[in-house]
Amino acid sequence: MSINTMKPKKKKMATEDLIFTIFNTTIMVLFTIVTLYPILNTLAISFNEGSDAVRGGIHLLPRVFSLKSYKTVIKTEGIITGAKITVLRTVIGTLSSLIANALLSFILSRKRFLFKSGLSLFWIITMYANGGLIPTMVLFRSLNLIGTFWVYVIPGMVSAFNVMVMRTYMAGIPDSLEESAQLEGAGYMTVFLKIISPLCKPVYATIALFVAVYHWNSWFDAMLYNRTNTKYTTLQYELQKLLASVTAQGQGGGGGAASQTDATVATVIPITIRSAATILTMAPIIALYPFLQRYFVTGLTIGGVKE
Amino acid sequence: MSLSESTSRRRKKRANGVEFTAKEFKRQWILIAIAAVYVIYGIIFYYLPLAGWIMAFQNYKYKTGITGSKFVGLAKFQFLFSDAKFLQVIRNTFCMGALNLIFSTVMAIVFAILLNEIKNIWGKKIVQTISYLPHFLSWIVVCGLVHDALSSTGIINELLVKFGIIDSPFQFFASKPWFWPLVVLTNLWKETGWNAIIYLAAITSIDPALYESASIDGAGRFQKMWYVTLPSIRPTIMILLLMNIGNVLNAGFELQYILGNGVIQSVSRTIDIYVLDWAINGRNMDFSLGTAAGIFKTLVALILIVAGNTIAKKTGDERLF
């Protein structure tokens, strides 16, 4: 009897499973399309001829192929300076930030350090309370940081969140390694450079990548602190100016908060040029992403949220 | 989370038997010296701006600076709360922040659960890798992509016209009722995959025996999701909600700044944009008002964190501190 009743139930489960699998696969495929389409579409438009692209209707492939937009973009002065400064700030900013965060994490993860809890608390507070935009601006002005390159590097060098992630990782390294090195006469700096740091490569890589992406994508600090000083503009800020010309004009308004403050571009930049600039700006991230993405995920699972 | 941890560490230190002796000081002088550098750095870049809050109680003038400006008590705050524009930006910030929090949490959980149900390992890996790619694109790029997709020649309008839902392209960015949904959707596009990573990690660590015994009891796929998966990841959900609740008022700057425009500014402007206006908008610069608005935001964020934490404590869930 039990066999008889089991059979139809199993069959019902199997069809239910099949329906669910089809439904789920469809959702996942749709999700992937929605994620990738805007990027691929912009890529196609960027390779299309300018006046033809205005007609619209370009999807995944350019209709009239042309490299002219890219040629125009890489000749634009702001873009060239922006690219140089962005590369520079990404390299210098990432290196200095990595060293600064690692050293603080090292100190905070030493079990014998006398001011451990005090120093931890000092930095944890910075995660919750911050002075805000205007006091920070006033401070930077009195430190003469405004209008310089260093305003990108120095203020954000130490981040309490990154320090907490690194500290957790370092605290997991057995003390015996440190102790035996110290017995052989190694000082704290030798322990940091020769014992701890080599073991921390994965977490260093993760933090370095996060900081690098942050620097690559920054634009707001460029707008706030180097708006009048085009020498230190960044790539993303230049892109923002290109795109803002459309937001302001396209909607026929006098410009909102965004365009009121920096609507210096009077003419609408063609969509192909904007697309080419967008693609160039995200190209390094997309190109490196497949190789580096696993580091990003390990970073999340190492410290942050698990703790 | 972090605070309770530091107190437990303190106890551990005593147990370690490290005393404040001259010998110990000498032994770790280099740690103390470097720590001192970090304290100086922290005071300058994190604590001095807090001291700048004093500007909110002054009539700050650039020429006279903080030391020479006249104190006006709470006059700036009084002005703020009688400014209809300020009340409007509070509403905008709060509503967009709350909508973002709710939708991004729900979507991330749903996506993580569905992704977990995919049996093909390669398919799962590919979908997941693609899903968090947008997290690494800047808001400038993302807003550019969204703008193109929703423009009059963009794919959305093309599809809507093709299927006869509308006759002519719809101007999404000139529509007030559409702005908040656009912000939520853009945020979902950028962050769903990324937010799902943590939930997916939590789901993967659920004991398979729980699912097996549920199957034996006759639970179907959806019953297992509802009675096993969701309760198992409840602590993760709670802690993430708590961490993000303080950010509700922070959830509104870049996106609104880039996508907003004059026509719809009554729904697009947020507290941060309001502050920014007082900070850099030429003629109407008023650092004192901007600082006061910033203080309001920080205090509300703190209240939200503490309130969320208290609620979590009462319901017996995970908490931050």
Side-chain angles (χ1 to χ4, degrees):
Chain A
M1 186 196 85
S2 71
I3 293 170
N4 279 343
T5 50
M6 279 294 280
K7 250 187 185 167
K9 202 182 174 192
K10 233 183 189 168
K11 213 174 192 177
K12 198 182 144 222
M13 286 287 278
T15 35
E16 231 182 67
D17 264 12
L18 188 69
I19 291 169
F20 178 79
T21 309
I22 293 171
F23 162 81
N24 198 14
T25 313
T26 317
I27 294 219
M28 289 301 150
V29 170
L30 272 178
F31 187 93
T32 312
I33 292 174
V34 170
T35 306
L36 287 182
Y37 182 84
I39 300 172
L40 296 174
N41 181 237
T42 301
L43 187 67
I45 292 174
S46 73
F47 281 113
N48 203 80
E49 200 274 317
S51 53
D52 176 70
V54 184
R55 280 170 43 213
I58 297 169
H59 297 120
L60 294 172
L61 288 171
R63 197 164 40 212
V64 184
F65 185 83
S66 159
L67 285 173
K68 215 177 142 215
S69 312
Y70 283 96
K71 283 181 187 151
T72 315
V73 169
I74 56 171
K75 273 189 210 138
T76 313
E77 203 176 322
I79 298 277
I80 301 170
T81 324
K84 277 184 200 155
I85 295 296
T86 302
V87 169
L88 211 57
R89 77 173 282 181
T90 304
V91 173
I92 297 176
T94 307
L95 279 178
S96 58
S97 181
L98 184 64
I99 296 170
N101 285 328
L103 196 53
L104 180 57
S105 314
F106 173 73
I107 296 176
L108 286 176
S109 59
R110 292 313 91 197
K111 292 213 170 63
R112 290 181 73 89
F113 180 52
L114 290 170
F115 304 100
K116 192 171 157 174
S117 49
L119 193 61
S120 299
L121 188 62
F122 178 87
W123 281 101
I124 285 167
I125 288 173
T126 66
M127 295 207 290
Y128 293 98
N130 68 70
L133 181 88
I134 291 177
T136 308
M137 272 177 76
V138 172
L139 173 75
F140 289 180
R141 200 148 64 189
S142 52
L143 292 173
N144 283 324
L145 276 171
I146 289 180
T148 67
F149 172 76
W150 298 105
V151 75
Y152 300 139
V153 177
I154 296 172
M157 210 153 65
V158 183
S159 135
F161 183 80
N162 290 345
V163 168
M164 295 306 144
V165 174
M166 278 195 191
R167 187 194 65 176
T168 312
Y169 194 88
M170 287 181 181
I173 297 171
D175 299 333
S176 52
L177 289 174
E178 179 187 340
E179 282 156 15
S180 58
Q182 280 172 336
L183 280 179
E184 287 169 26
Y188 275 112
M189 283 301 101
T190 317
V191 172
F192 172 62
L193 292 172
K194 298 272 164 68
I195 313 273
I196 303 292
S197 288
L199 291 171
C200 284
K201 271 182 198 155
V203 74
Y204 283 5
T206 305
I207 298 290
L209 280 171
F210 274 112
V211 177
V213 170
Y214 161 79
H215 276 293
W216 187 266
N217 284 340
S218 303
W219 61 280
F220 186 54
D221 45 11
M223 185 193 84
L224 267 188
Y225 308 125
N226 278 319
R227 193 152 29 109
T228 49
N229 191 355
T230 47
K231 224 167 53 181
Y232 299 123
T233 186
T234 68
L235 197 51
Q236 302 281 348
Y237 182 43
E238 289 303 312
L239 180 65
Q240 143 77 359
K241 285 198 251 176
L242 281 184
L243 300 183
S245 74
V246 187
T247 339
Q249 297 253 329
Q251 267 77 62
S259 29
Q260 260 164 20
T261 46
D262 55 4
T264 42
V265 198
T267 48
V268 175
I269 314 285
I271 188 170
T272 47
I273 306 273
R274 282 186 282 124
S275 300
T278 308
I279 293 293
L280 283 178
T281 309
M282 65 174 154
I285 290 187
I286 304 258
L288 294 173
Y289 182 72
F291 309 101
L292 301 178
Q293 51 92 11
R294 66 196 171 98
Y295 287 104
F296 291 122
V297 181
T298 40
L300 262 186
T301 36
I302 285 172
V305 183
K306 228 178 76 190
E307 208 186 338
Chain B
M1 165 182 74
S2 325
L3 288 179
S4 64
E5 188 196 30
S6 72
T7 49
S8 73
R9 287 271 162 85
R10 194 181 302 142
R11 255 175 247 124
K12 234 184 259 165
K13 192 172 80 182
R14 284 204 194 105
N16 257 6
V18 186
E19 300 282 340
F20 283 82
T21 58
K23 199 182 150 213
E24 192 59 39
F25 264 89
K26 207 179 155 195
R27 209 182 85 91
Q28 46 175 265
W29 70 271
I30 187 139
L31 295 186
I32 296 169
I34 298 171
V37 176
Y38 278 97
V39 170
I40 294 168
Y41 175 90
I43 287 176
I44 294 176
F45 287 103
Y46 288 97
Y47 288 83
L48 270 186
L50 284 174
W53 279 12
I54 216 164
M55 281 189 287
F57 307 96
Q58 294 179 326
N59 198 0
Y60 179 84
K61 289 275 178 293
Y62 179 52
K63 275 185 197 143
T64 48
I66 291 180
T67 44
S69 292
K70 220 171 60 194
F71 277 89
V72 292
L74 293 174
K76 295 291 173 184
F77 287 92
Q78 270 164 358
F79 175 87
L80 271 190
F81 288 101
S82 58
D83 183 8
K85 269 191 189 158
F86 185 62
L87 303 176
Q88 198 176 54
V89 300
I90 293 178
R91 179 203 68 190
N92 294 346
T93 314
F94 187 78
C95 291
M96 281 187 268
L99 287 172
N100 269 338
L101 180 63
I102 296 165
F103 281 98
S104 67
T105 306
V106 171
M107 275 294 281
I109 296 169
V110 169
F111 180 66
I113 291 178
L114 289 182
L115 195 62
N116 188 55
E117 294 288 329
I118 292 190
K119 295 291 172 280
N120 183 324
I121 295 173
W122 274 101
K124 189 172 168 180
K125 215 170 173 179
I126 289 171
V127 173
Q128 205 198 353
T129 306
I130 290 173
S131 76
Y132 52 76
L133 169 68
H135 173 78
F136 297 100
L137 304 179
S138 71
W139 277 114
I140 307 274
V141 167
V142 170
C143 291
L145 297 177
V146 168
H147 199 271
D148 285 348
L150 293 173
S151 72
S152 46
T153 52
I155 183 76
I156 303 289
N157 269 315
E158 197 183 320
L159 289 176
L160 288 176
V161 171
K162 204 176 197 170
F163 290 112
I165 298 167
I166 49 174
D167 296 328
S168 58
F170 181 69
Q171 297 289 332
F172 282 96
F173 294 100
S175 155
K176 282 185 193 175
W178 268 99
F179 190 76
W180 292 358
L182 283 184
V183 166
V184 171
L185 288 170
T186 308
N187 212 51
L188 287 180
W189 184 80
K190 192 174 191 282
E191 305 293 349
T192 298
W194 181 251
N195 293 336
I197 293 177
I198 298 160
Y199 295 115
L200 201 63
I203 293 173
T204 332
S205 66
I206 297 173
D207 187 356
L210 287 175
Y211 289 108
E212 279 160 30
S213 51
S215 301
I216 293 168
D217 289 343
R221 193 189 286 266
F222 294 101
Q223 281 167 318
K224 273 189 263 181
M225 286 177 195
W226 190 256
Y227 292 109
V228 181
T229 312
L230 274 179
S232 305
I233 62 171
R234 186 184 153 115
T236 313
I237 298 174
M238 286 309 290
I239 199 125
L240 284 178
L241 273 178
L242 277 179
M243 283 171 75
N244 291 328
I245 211 161
N247 279 327
V248 160
L249 293 186
N250 277 332
F253 175 64
E254 292 190 58
L255 187 49
Q256 290 84 346
Y257 184 81
I258 304 166
L259 286 185
N261 61 69
V263 182
I264 51 169
Q265 59 173 319
S266 65
V267 290
S268 72
R269 282 162 54 94
T270 62
I271 299 179
D272 287 323
I273 297 175
Y274 181 86
V275 171
L276 188 70
D277 252 10
W278 292 117
I280 61 175
N281 200 353
R283 273 161 290 138
N284 309 324
M285 254 202 297
D286 188 328
F287 278 21
S288 295
L289 269 177
T291 310
I295 292 175
F296 170 78
K297 199 191 86 173
T298 308
L299 290 184
V300 174
L302 275 179
I303 293 170
L304 284 175
I305 292 176
V306 173
N309 210 51
T310 318
I311 295 169
K313 225 181 253 180
K314 284 220 172 95
T315 56
D317 277 299
E318 297 259 348
R319 54 183 190 265
L320 284 172
F321 41 79

